[in-house]
Amino acid sequence: MNKDKRRLILERLREANPKPTTELNYTSPFELLIAVILSAQATDVSVNKATDKLYPVANTPETILSLGVDGLKEYIKTIGLYNAKAENIIKTCSILINLYNSHVPEDRKALESLPGVGRKTANVVLNTAFGWPTIAVDTHIFRVANRTGFAPGKNVDEVEEKLLRYVPAEFKLDVHHWLILHGRYTCIARKPRCGSCLIEDLCEFKQKTEPEE
């Protein structure tokens, strides 16, 4: 795919959704961090259901830490891998209190050192909470980047590296959200909704589907 076609795709996505953001519910960098940790191998809908009950009770490192692992599990047990996530979140809260004055650090290395936080989670927090032009590659973005031909790669690191290289600076802040939403609602895994896709004519996917009757 050439750069002119990529730019047209980005312009259309921007026109359709000028100010995209995450579908996770949060009101602070800390709430976002916890929600993103919980979202690994889980849907945003399921995470929001859990945090809508958790955050009115505990939404700071101190208050979540005071719940303890077992207390936290009661709020997040509907989410996949909740046992490991509860352990990681409690450890993360302790680290934030002891090392960062209870604040989420605006620093990639510091974020990635927290239990349950990898590169993707750090990218989401840096992008969404702090406005960094980072691109977190999840399963949706990986699929869209490969299927459309926008930034094909064998793994998430390769796709991220290509997106950072191919996406012009003016689009970098928002492209993460555009591609996730496109993959979640239009370019879905089993049968992409090509007939209702606003970039269908620019996409290089060869097995396009027919519009649904």
Side-chain angles (χ1 to χ4, degrees):
M1 181 176 288
N2 63 48
K3 66 179 183 180
D4 293 334
K5 195 181 280 189
R6 287 194 196 97
R7 184 173 190 87
L8 280 172
I9 286 173
L10 294 168
E11 286 175 348
R12 285 191 197 173
L13 292 172
R14 179 171 64 186
E15 185 178 352
N17 189 0
K19 294 186 176 179
T21 189
T22 179
E23 293 188 317
L24 291 168
N25 295 336
Y26 75 100
T27 60
S28 69
F30 176 73
E31 286 187 0
L32 178 65
L33 173 64
I34 299 307
V36 180
I37 291 173
L38 290 172
S39 72
Q41 297 181 48
T43 66
D44 286 2
V45 171
S46 68
V47 172
N48 288 338
K49 282 181 181 176
T51 57
D52 285 351
K53 293 176 182 175
L54 171 65
Y55 289 160
V57 175
N59 68 340
T60 65
E62 289 84 0
T63 51
I64 287 184
L65 186 62
S66 71
L67 291 175
V69 172
D70 290 336
L72 178 57
K73 283 180 185 178
E74 286 302 306
Y75 289 96
I76 66 170
K77 61 187 178 183
T78 54
I79 297 173
L81 308 176
Y82 74 93
N83 285 310
K85 289 174 182 178
E87 298 270 0
N88 285 333
I89 288 170
I90 292 298
K91 289 175 188 171
T92 285
C93 288
S94 181
I95 292 168
L96 291 177
I97 292 166
N98 292 323
L99 296 185
Y100 302 106
N101 197 30
S102 298
H103 290 99
V104 175
E106 188 178 345
D107 177 272
R108 176 184 296 285
K109 189 174 180 183
L111 284 169
E112 290 186 16
S113 72
L114 298 171
V117 178
R119 184 174 180 85
K120 185 185 79 172
T121 298
N123 275 338
V124 173
V125 172
L126 291 171
N127 175 273
T128 305
F130 298 118
W132 286 31
T134 55
I135 302 173
V137 179
D138 71 347
T139 54
H140 295 300
I141 292 182
F142 184 77
R143 180 175 66 256
V144 171
N146 276 285
R147 184 184 273 164
T148 61
F150 192 102
K154 295 185 183 72
N155 53 55
V156 293
D157 291 337
E158 198 173 308
V159 169
E160 181 186 341
E161 187 272 326
K162 285 189 176 181
L163 285 169
L164 288 169
R165 198 165 76 232
Y166 294 158
V167 174
E170 67 181 282
F171 300 105
K172 274 206 172 86
L173 182 63
D174 294 324
V175 69
H176 157 79
H177 298 300
W178 288 327
L179 294 181
I180 279 182
L181 294 170
H182 192 68
R184 188 173 286 163
Y185 297 112
T186 302
C187 197
I188 56 178
R190 291 192 178 176
K191 189 181 180 186
R193 298 174 175 136
C194 298
S196 59
C197 175
L198 56 82
I199 61 167
E200 181 184 10
D201 58 315
L202 302 170
C203 168
E204 296 182 355
F205 182 51
K206 290 183 170 60
Q207 291 84 41
K208 289 196 173 80
T209 61
E210 293 297 320
E212 293 180 6
E213 293 296 330

